[in-house]
Amino acid sequence: MAEHPKISVAVPPAWSRAAIMKGEPASALSNLLGSRFPAYDISTGGITQDSETVSIFQMFEATGEPDPNDLLPNTELDAIEEVVTEYYRMFFRTPH
């Protein structure tokens, strides 16, 4: 397996705006994911076209098909998605 698998995270535009409006630094999610998943190189800041779906995927060099041994189990990607979803959920819980 690659030493540090590369993971890309994209979130709905409204989620990103909510974090910005609450004054959350752009690096906060990246720092959280880095501390929870230190074995991965996680890129945050992507925006999805969908208004409700988080997109998390493993990235590979553009040299052809990835080696199946380098594929992360879906449970790992699901765990990252759960942390991302919970992180953004806090911005919608705050009373007005």
Side-chain angles (χ1 to χ4, degrees):
M1 175 157 308
E3 186 148 331
H4 288 286
K6 294 184 184 324
I7 308 294
S8 177
V9 174
V11 299
W15 293 21
S16 180
R17 280 192 303 273
I20 292 167
M21 295 298 290
K22 301 278 182 169
E24 191 71 4
S27 61
L29 176 60
S30 183
N31 292 341
L32 172 65
L33 291 173
S35 69
R36 295 288 276 292
F37 303 97
Y40 305 139
D41 178 3
I42 302 176
S43 168
T44 59
I47 302 295
T48 63
Q49 297 300 313
D50 188 305
S51 63
E52 298 178 9
T53 305
V54 173
S55 174
I56 297 178
F57 56 91
Q58 188 172 357
M59 299 183 300
F60 296 93
E61 298 298 322
T63 57
E65 290 296 313
D67 182 331
N69 294 323
D70 288 340
L71 293 173
L72 293 174
N74 283 340
T75 54
E76 286 296 298
L77 298 178
D78 290 347
I80 294 169
E81 180 176 352
E82 187 174 308
V83 170
V84 170
T85 301
E86 189 59 33
Y87 168 82
Y88 279 102
R89 191 172 285 144
M90 73 179 173
F91 298 112
F92 294 100
R93 284 192 196 136
T94 308
H96 298 299

